[in-house]
Structures are given as C-alpha cells and as structure tokens.
Amino acid sequence: MAAPAANLKINGERLWDSLMEMAKVGPGVAGGNNRQTLTDEDAQGRALFQSWCEAAGCAMGLDQMGNMFARREGTDPDALPVYVGSHLDTQPTGGKYDGVLGVLGGLEIIRSLNDLGIKTKHPIVVTNWTNEEGTRFAPAMLASGVFAGVHTQDWAYAREDAEGLKLGDELSRIGWRGDEEVGARKMHAMFELHIEQGPILEAEGKQIGVVTHGQGLSWTQVTITGRDSHTGSTPMPMRRNAGLGMARVLEKVEEIAWSHAPHAVGAAGHIDIFPNSRNVIPGKAVFTVDFRSPDLSAIEDMETQMREQAQKICDDMGLGVEFEKVGGFDPVTFDKDCVTAVRNAAERLGYSHMDLISGAGHDACWINRVAPTAMVMCPCVDGLSHNEAEEITRDWARAGADVLFHAVLESAEIVD
Amino acid sequence: MAAPAANLKINGERLWDSLMEMAKVGPGVAGGNNRQTLTDEDAQGRALFQSWCEAAGCAMGLDQMGNMFARREGTDPDALPVYVGSHLDTQPTGGKYDGVLGVLGGLEIIRSLNDLGIKTKHPIVVTNWTNEEGTRFAPAMLASGVFAGVHTQDWAYAREDAEGLKLGDELSRIGWRGDEEVGARKMHAMFELHIEQGPILEAEGKQIGVVTHGQGLSWTQVTITGRDSHTGSTPMPMRRNAGLGMARVLEKVEEIAWSHAPHAVGAAGHIDIFPNSRNVIPGKAVFTVDFRSPDLSAIEDMETQMREQAQKICDDMGLGVEFEKVGGFDPVTFDKDCVTAVRNAAERLGYSHMDLISGAGHDACWINRVAPTAMVMCPCVDGLSHNEAEEITRDWARAGADVLFHAVLESAEIVD
C-alpha cells in the first residue's frame, strides 16, 4: 500500500464544529447527550448525518437493520470499498464523542478528500451502525453483530426494551428500516476511530492508541427471588430478602474481578428491585453482571465462579436464583496489516502513540470477523465515558482523525 | 361503661362480601390489589365506600387531607363520637385486607346496629384515613399524622411521588380534597381493627391480638454518590461504584438489626440505581433504610450505627454519602381503658386472644396522641402482608369485627 504524504491533514475545526452540531440533537441533562437508539432523537441525528453526507456528494445506503452507508466512489470499479465509521446512538447519560467521533471523523475524511481533489482506487464508505450501546435493547453492538453473522436478524428484531417495545417495530416507527440485505456488503478493510473510554492514554501522555486487541465481554442477568413481606412485622429469622441476596452477590462480583487482576474487570450497572417500596422487603432483584478480560478463559472462569457463589448465597438464604446470558463476545485480535497501517500513520504524522487493548466492546470487534479491521483511539479526560461529563480536546480529536485519514488512505490507495 | 350482651354479633357474610367487592377496585396482577393513594383507583374505592355509608344512613364528612368520616348519630347531643376505621389505600403489590378490614369492619358495625335497631349514647364515626401506606408519598400514615398534629398540612401537600407530582395536587385532581379543617374533630375514643401482618397469632393459634403497644419506626433515605463510568475500560482501582457501596451498607443494615434481637428489624425495600445501564458503573444509589423496634433507644442506636458505618464504607471507597430522615415515629403505648375494652370483648365473646406489639405502623399510632385509642388484630396466613398473596379466613375477619363491635359498643354505650 502506498503511503500518503505526511502533510495531508483533515480539517480539525470543521470536525469539531460537526461534533458540536450533532451534540445539539438529543441533549442530556448535564451537558452530554441522551440520544438512545431508535428514539426520535436518534432519527434526528441520522437525518442530520445523511444531509451532511449528501452535501459531500456521497450516495446513501440503508440496510434492514438501519445501518447507514455513505459512499464516495473510487476509480477502480472492481475494488472493494474501505469502510470507516462507528455509531451515533448514545447512553441515557452519554457523552458527545462516544461513537460520534468515529462517524463524523469518517465524514471529515470524505470532506477533506473533496477539498484536496484526491481520488482513491477503492471507494470509501462511512458507516453509522445501529444500536451499538445496547442500553435500550441488549446486547450491545447488535446491528454490526447481525452484519457479521453473529446474530440472526429475526432475533435482533425481537429484542425488547424496558417497556416491551420490539427493536424491529421501533426501527420501522422512526422510519430508518431499509431494504438492503444485512451483511451483503464485502469490505476491503474497516477502520474505526473511537475515544479510549479509559484513563491509560492520558496517564501515559500519548495522543494515539493503536488498538491491537479487544477485551472480551460477558453479560449475565441474575434474577433472585425471595418473598415480598412487611418490613415491620416480619421477624428477622422469617425474612427472604432478595435485595440482601443481591448485595452479597455484588460483593462477590467485586472479589472475583480483583482475583483476575490486572486486566479483568467486573460490575453490575443495571439493578431493579421489586416491588421497590419502602416498607416491603424485596421479593425480587434483577441485575446484570458485566465481566471483561482480554483472556477468554478468565471471562469464563469469572462467570462460573459468580454463578456458583451466587447459587450458594441464595441457597443459604432460602432464595431462588436464575441466570440468563444476555450478551457477550470473545476477545478480539485485530488484523495485523490494518494495525500496522494505523501505527505507521501515527509515526508518519509525528503523533505520540502506544499499543492498547480496548476495554470496551466496539462495532469493529464484530466486523473484524468478516473483514480486515483495526481501531484508532484518542484519549478522553480522566478516562471518563458513559457519562455526560465525557470530554476530549480539539487536538486529540484532530490527531485521531488525521491518523484515521492516513490509515484509510494507505488502504484505499491514492490515485495520482 | 356498660358491657353489651354476648349474643350481639356482626354479619360476617356481609362483611366478607363487602371485602370482596372492594377488592375488585384497583386489582393487582396476582390476585391482590394495586390501589395506591390518590390514584384514580383510590378515587373509585372512596366512592364505593361512600355509597355504602350513605345507604347505611350515615352523614359524610371530608377534610382538607381527604380523610373521610361517616357518622351515625347518638342520642346525646353533647357526647363526643367514638371513632373506628383504618385506610383503603394499598401497596403497589398489596393485599385485599391491609387497612380495608378496619374500614369495612367499622361500616359493618353501623350496618349491624341498624339491623338490631340499637341506639348509642355517643355517635359512631367510621373513618378512611388518606395515604396510610406512604409508598407513593412518604411518610406512611401521613393524613392521620396531620390530624394528630405530627405534620403540618402544607408540608403534607408538598410531598412528591417518584414522578414529582405533589400530594396536594393529586388530592385535588381525584376530587377528594374537602373543606373541613384537619384535626378539628374531638374524639371520645378511637378503635382500629387490622390484620396482624405478622406470623405470631397464627403460630400461637390465637384468634385475636389485643394490641398494647406499637413498634417505633425510622426511615432514612441514603444517597451514595460515585462516578458514572464505562464498565469495560475503567480499571478496578479507579472505580467509584455507588452500587457496590450500597451493597456493603445493606449488609451492615442486616447485621445491625440482628444485633438488636429479638424485637428489632431492619431492611431496605426501596432501591434506585443511576443511570441503571448494563455497561455503566453506577454513579448514584438511592435507598431507604427501615429500622423498627418497640424500644425507642434501640431505634436511635440502630440509625446512628447505620449512619456511622455507611459513612466509613463510603469514605474508604471514595464515595459521597448523604442521609435524609424521610419518616418515623416513636413507639406507642395504647390507652389502658381502650385496651381493656378490647380484651374484655374477646373474653366475653369466647375468642382466644393474646397481647401483641404491633410491628407495623398504623393510623391508630398517631391518633393515640389526641384520643384514647386501641387496636384489635386478627391473624393473616403465614404472616404475609404487603404482598398480593396476603390472605385471611372468613372466621378470622368475623371474630376481629365482633371484638371491634363490642369494644366500640362498650365505649359508645348502648341506650336501652
């Protein structure tokens, strides 16, 4: 692959302005965003992105999972496209950059190529993947998972949110259910730019993370069943307190994760108590345990330990317990050539860089199964993400997009 | 006080039929009721009760807290009324008898007096107290508390539910905000019949509980503040997990309650986690700790220990913690003469009985501050309450209402 000249840069100001403009869609309550997948706000964000792509001369594609594809033609009709992108949906209390930087960074590549009058042999396609966050409809990275053949489309359509609404119905309701067969597209390569969502790059003073691997993930929903009863008139020995059982399991989750240090992590972010009344001992607790590690055997071991210890805790307390695997993926090793292209780009542009293992799941982790894939990461302040206070600097955004630009150009091949 | 003849009985079939009829209003999902205070279902239940009282010839009164009063006149214009009643509101997953038995038991007394053509010196007033449960608007026994001067009416009106709706506004919305000054009524005595909501009477094989004391209660809302962050990319040492902090406090609540055995109890029935997303470490946990004991010093000691230990747990974990007292009342000693009237009634009628300490809070606990008061309890199956499976037998209901009938008659004085 031919290396682009080191003076080729994207327009950092324009990229930043677009990020701020998109952040106005589905604003949060604390300066971030609440643009959850398949809400009216998601539809508004999609429409804004499409208007920008069309203004940049792209041809739009939309598949049956709502994945959006903005294509800039190449010179070789037989060359497979180089894909670039991420997701525009956010957490309920999400930030302005998680996912959005990767999509708008891809758009900025197209805009910069147009400015510079550069042609590429391979087409370049900017993608917005549906429901990466998985908050409203579990699991995360759902649509890229269907694209990569990890999930069936019917199963994905049947996912329900907390109100019992189905993903397929909501996709139709907001008007972004396309006709194109999911996964039919073949890719020359795929690159995703994303904020680190962790504290390492900032702590190490590096501008760029060259992502070599992705951490594996396991989500297990635990349902503990006790007995609703009056908090005042039920003697302590006669209680079957599902909330207390949950508390003891949460302590074990913490212990188990620490016992697999340094790379493993574990926590429960989702907790629901029933009937959730001040004077009723909880009869039911439902919560989701999230274990992650770059080592598949560590994930499996943590999950097994959690199930065994939760079963014992509940048996001892006279509680029932059930486990349901609601999400997960194996650790990922990204494509060697694509990773090299990212590292070379950072090197060529003179940005400080280091190799990273991604702690979070990303669409690139699924696409890596069907195309040569790599990721570029930039730091975020305090490693904070999935938080409205999520923040990055203009320089970090610019450097990340420059590296993405060069990696994509090396793969798409500039035509002189 | 003159003792009524032992052959005077209420109509158990009519009482049971009325209980079953009221249970049709605001049905639950599992055979019980969801007729929470100031909902449309509460309004329907109130209208049904009023129609029955008017059919029984009662004059209706309604005060500014929505407390309902159905009056049967006495022969002495100067004699203060004997009050009897409880509440018609229920838990979100409540039973058919908690509160309702005491209100409809009072109505059955009036119907029976009408059947028997009995006149009493003192008027008899059947009361439905607003928001006894305190689930939607904390604290419990709110309107009887305003009546007894424990809370101001303005403070009560400003209580908010989970959606931020104010009690005063909801009372107006359902059309049950009256003009009568709250607490203006003077009482000769007040009697409340209630299911035990505990397992003791059934375990002891007794038909009647003569309630001598009421357990005191303390509700403390605990808010633990950590930091929302990504469950995958935040290393374990850098986490500030409010959910884990909560879990450790819940374990302490259990330990503290056991350390004050046998009469003290403690639990958290209400738990909310924020943002409550599978892949976000909880940044905030809000939960309410409920401690109870017939010994005031034990309650104060448990609450102090909980606050101190929660503070230490949160300090050690880098979490913030705040405490707010959201409800509570001191242990109660009921009126000696009224309690004796209840015990005499059970003796006279030949029902097996024992003295009890009420584990739950009741409207009678507040009214005891402004009038001579006592309670009658009947067993409930497995001591189960605040649960849709709450159940009693027809014989238990009949016996409880018969004892209530005789205690009220001894106080109201039959006119020959």
Side-chain angles (χ1 to χ4, degrees):
Chain A
M1 299 192 265
N7 64 347
L8 289 181
K9 301 285 185 77
I10 58 92
N11 182 332
E13 293 309 308
R14 179 172 53 195
L15 170 59
W16 192 261
D17 292 345
S18 297
L19 286 166
M20 294 305 105
E21 198 62 26
M22 182 59 73
K24 295 175 182 172
V25 181
V29 295
N33 280 95
N34 179 3
R35 196 169 57 241
Q36 293 183 70
T37 191
L38 307 190
T39 58
D40 295 345
E41 293 73 20
D42 182 18
Q44 292 172 38
R46 289 166 174 265
L48 177 60
F49 171 60
Q50 175 153 325
S51 69
W52 285 338
C53 294
E54 288 170 342
C58 294
M60 301 305 297
L62 180 68
D63 72 16
Q64 294 170 28
M65 282 301 297
N67 296 317
M68 299 173 65
F69 303 97
R71 177 187 179 106
R72 182 179 192 261
E73 276 308 333
T75 58
D76 180 348
D78 301 327
L80 289 173
V82 175
Y83 281 72
V84 55
S86 188
H87 61 95
L88 292 174
D89 69 314
T90 77
Q91 288 282 324
T93 58
K96 299 188 286 286
Y97 313 98
D98 174 0
V100 187
L101 177 63
V103 177
L104 300 187
L107 171 62
E108 178 52 36
I109 288 175
I110 304 277
R111 289 168 163 173
S112 295
L113 289 173
N114 293 345
D115 295 345
L116 300 164
I118 294 176
K119 291 186 169 54
T120 56
K121 173 186 171 188
H122 297 262
I124 297 173
V125 178
V126 184
T127 305
N128 169 36
W129 299 105
T130 296
N131 187 33
E132 192 275 346
E133 293 294 354
T135 307
R136 184 180 174 197
F137 299 100
M141 299 122 58
L142 184 57
S144 53
V146 174
F147 188 96
V150 179
H151 314 298
T152 67
Q153 183 167 311
D154 289 346
W155 183 81
Y157 277 174
R159 298 303 87 205
E160 292 186 357
D161 68 7
E163 278 67 49
L165 298 172
K166 289 190 162 49
L167 181 143
D169 299 336
E170 284 294 280
L171 182 56
S172 300
R173 183 186 67 80
I174 68 164
W176 285 90
R177 183 166 173 167
D179 300 324
E180 180 183 317
E181 180 192 345
V182 179
R185 292 166 175 262
K186 301 301 168 227
M187 303 177 171
H188 178 63
M190 193 272 193
F191 294 89
E192 179 172 8
L193 168 64
H194 207 284
I195 63 171
E196 180 194 347
Q197 306 184 283
I200 299 169
L201 290 175
E202 189 182 30
E204 299 289 327
K206 304 292 188 184
Q207 296 164 286
I208 298 296
V210 179
V211 183
T212 60
H213 298 79
Q215 224 176 24
L217 154 69
S218 166
W219 275 356
T220 303
Q221 182 166 294
V222 183
T223 301
I224 296 179
T225 309
R227 191 173 74 164
D228 302 356
S229 59
H230 194 289
T231 51
S233 50
T234 312
M236 296 300 286
M238 295 185 64
R239 297 179 172 218
R240 283 161 50 201
N241 184 340
L244 181 64
M246 175 192 71
R248 291 173 176 171
V249 174
L250 294 180
E251 185 62 64
K252 292 299 180 186
V253 168
E254 179 81 0
E255 291 175 17
I256 290 166
W258 278 99
S259 71
H260 291 74
H263 289 305
V265 292
H270 153 247
I271 292 174
D272 288 323
I273 291 289
F274 302 91
N276 206 23
S277 174
R278 287 187 169 101
N279 47 6
V280 185
I281 295 164
K284 187 166 77 167
V286 181
F287 55 103
T288 305
V289 175
D290 172 311
F291 281 125
R292 308 195 193 207
S293 167
D295 173 4
L296 179 59
S297 66
I299 295 172
E300 292 168 342
D301 185 52
M302 289 191 290
E303 188 175 334
T304 301
Q305 285 187 36
M306 185 277 289
R307 290 184 181 225
E308 288 174 356
Q309 296 188 35
Q311 187 69 59
K312 182 178 187 324
I313 286 167
C314 292
D315 290 346
D316 294 347
M317 296 175 71
L319 301 169
V321 62
E322 292 179 356
F323 306 96
E324 181 187 1
K325 183 87 176 247
V326 291
F329 50 81
D330 295 347
V332 173
T333 300
F334 287 112
D335 178 76
K336 185 172 173 304
D337 292 341
C338 291
V339 170
T340 302
V342 171
R343 193 181 293 111
N344 291 347
E347 200 55 48
R348 183 184 315 121
L349 291 159
Y351 293 128
S352 59
H353 61 88
M354 64 183 286
D355 287 2
L356 269 188
I357 294 169
S358 172
H362 297 289
D363 295 304
C365 298
W366 282 150
I367 302 306
N368 187 61
R369 297 188 166 203
V370 293
T373 302
M375 293 188 71
V376 183
M377 282 189 176
C378 72
C380 56
V381 175
D382 294 336
L384 197 60
S385 185
H386 288 193
N387 186 312
E388 294 201 42
E390 173 187 277
E391 203 43 79
I392 66 176
T393 70
R394 290 169 181 245
D395 288 346
W396 290 343
R398 178 200 305 271
D402 278 337
V403 170
L404 183 71
F405 187 32
H406 276 242
V408 167
L409 282 180
E410 186 165 335
S411 178
E413 300 181 42
I414 295 175
V415 178
D416 301 322
Chain B
M1 296 190 271
N7 64 348
L8 290 180
K9 300 286 187 78
I10 58 93
N11 182 331
E13 292 309 308
R14 180 171 52 195
L15 171 59
W16 192 261
D17 291 345
S18 296
L19 287 166
M20 294 305 105
E21 198 62 25
M22 181 60 73
K24 295 175 183 172
V25 181
V29 296
N33 280 96
N34 179 5
R35 195 170 57 241
Q36 294 183 70
T37 191
L38 308 190
T39 58
D40 295 345
E41 292 73 21
D42 182 18
Q44 291 171 40
R46 288 165 174 266
L48 177 60
F49 171 61
Q50 176 153 325
S51 69
W52 285 338
C53 294
E54 288 171 340
C58 294
M60 300 305 297
L62 181 68
D63 73 15
Q64 294 171 29
M65 282 300 298
N67 296 318
M68 298 173 65
F69 303 98
R71 177 186 179 106
R72 183 179 192 265
E73 276 309 333
T75 58
D76 179 349
D78 301 327
L80 289 174
V82 174
Y83 282 72
V84 57
S86 188
H87 61 94
L88 292 175
D89 69 315
T90 77
Q91 289 283 324
T93 57
K96 299 189 285 288
Y97 313 98
D98 174 1
V100 187
L101 177 64
V103 177
L104 300 188
L107 170 62
E108 177 52 36
I109 288 176
I110 290 184
R111 288 169 163 172
S112 296
L113 290 172
N114 292 345
D115 294 345
L116 300 164
I118 295 176
K119 292 187 168 58
T120 57
K121 172 185 173 189
H122 296 262
I124 297 173
V125 177
V126 183
T127 305
N128 169 34
W129 299 105
T130 297
N131 187 33
E132 191 274 347
E133 292 294 355
T135 307
R136 184 181 173 196
F137 299 99
M141 298 119 60
L142 185 56
S144 52
V146 174
F147 188 97
V150 179
H151 313 298
T152 68
Q153 183 167 310
D154 289 347
W155 182 82
Y157 278 173
R159 298 303 87 206
E160 292 185 358
D161 68 7
E163 279 67 50
L165 297 172
K166 289 190 161 53
L167 181 142
D169 300 335
E170 285 293 279
L171 182 56
S172 299
R173 183 187 68 77
I174 67 165
W176 284 91
R177 183 167 173 167
D179 300 324
E180 179 182 317
E181 180 192 346
V182 180
R185 292 165 176 265
K186 301 298 168 236
M187 302 176 171
H188 179 62
M190 192 273 194
F191 294 89
E192 181 173 7
L193 167 64
H194 206 285
I195 63 169
E196 179 193 349
Q197 306 185 285
I200 300 169
L201 290 175
E202 188 181 30
E204 299 289 327
K206 304 293 188 184
Q207 295 164 287
I208 297 295
V210 179
V211 184
T212 59
H213 298 79
Q215 225 176 22
L217 156 70
S218 166
W219 275 356
T220 304
Q221 181 167 292
V222 183
T223 301
I224 296 179
T225 309
R227 191 173 74 164
D228 302 356
S229 58
H230 194 290
T231 50
S233 50
T234 312
M236 296 300 287
M238 296 184 64
R239 297 179 171 217
R240 284 161 50 200
N241 184 342
L244 181 64
M246 175 192 70
R248 290 174 176 172
V249 174
L250 294 181
E251 185 63 62
K252 292 297 179 187
V253 168
E254 179 81 359
E255 291 175 18
I256 291 166
W258 277 101
S259 71
H260 291 73
H263 288 307
V265 292
H270 152 248
I271 292 174
D272 288 323
I273 290 289
F274 303 91
N276 207 23
S277 174
R278 287 187 170 100
N279 48 7
V280 185
I281 295 164
K284 186 166 79 166
V286 181
F287 56 103
T288 306
V289 176
D290 172 311
F291 281 125
R292 308 195 191 206
S293 168
D295 172 4
L296 179 59
S297 66
I299 295 172
E300 292 169 342
D301 184 53
M302 288 192 289
E303 186 174 336
T304 301
Q305 284 187 35
M306 186 277 290
R307 289 183 183 226
E308 288 173 355
Q309 296 188 34
Q311 187 68 59
K312 182 177 187 318
I313 286 167
C314 293
D315 290 348
D316 294 347
M317 295 176 72
L319 302 169
V321 61
E322 292 178 355
F323 306 95
E324 180 187 1
K325 183 88 176 243
V326 291
F329 49 83
D330 295 347
V332 173
T333 301
F334 286 111
D335 178 75
K336 185 172 171 306
D337 292 339
C338 291
V339 170
T340 301
V342 171
R343 192 181 294 110
N344 290 348
E347 263 316 310
R348 186 183 314 122
L349 290 159
Y351 293 128
S352 60
H353 61 87
M354 65 182 285
D355 287 2
L356 267 189
I357 294 170
S358 171
H362 296 289
D363 294 305
C365 297
W366 283 149
I367 302 306
N368 187 61
R369 296 187 168 205
V370 293
T373 303
M375 293 188 72
V376 183
M377 282 189 176
C378 71
C380 56
V381 175
D382 293 336
L384 196 60
S385 185
H386 288 193
N387 185 313
E388 293 201 43
E390 172 186 281
E391 202 46 76
I392 66 177
T393 71
R394 290 171 179 240
D395 289 344
W396 291 343
R398 177 200 305 269
D402 277 336
V403 171
L404 183 72
F405 187 33
H406 277 242
V408 167
L409 282 180
E410 185 164 336
S411 179
E413 299 178 41
I414 295 174
V415 178
D416 302 320

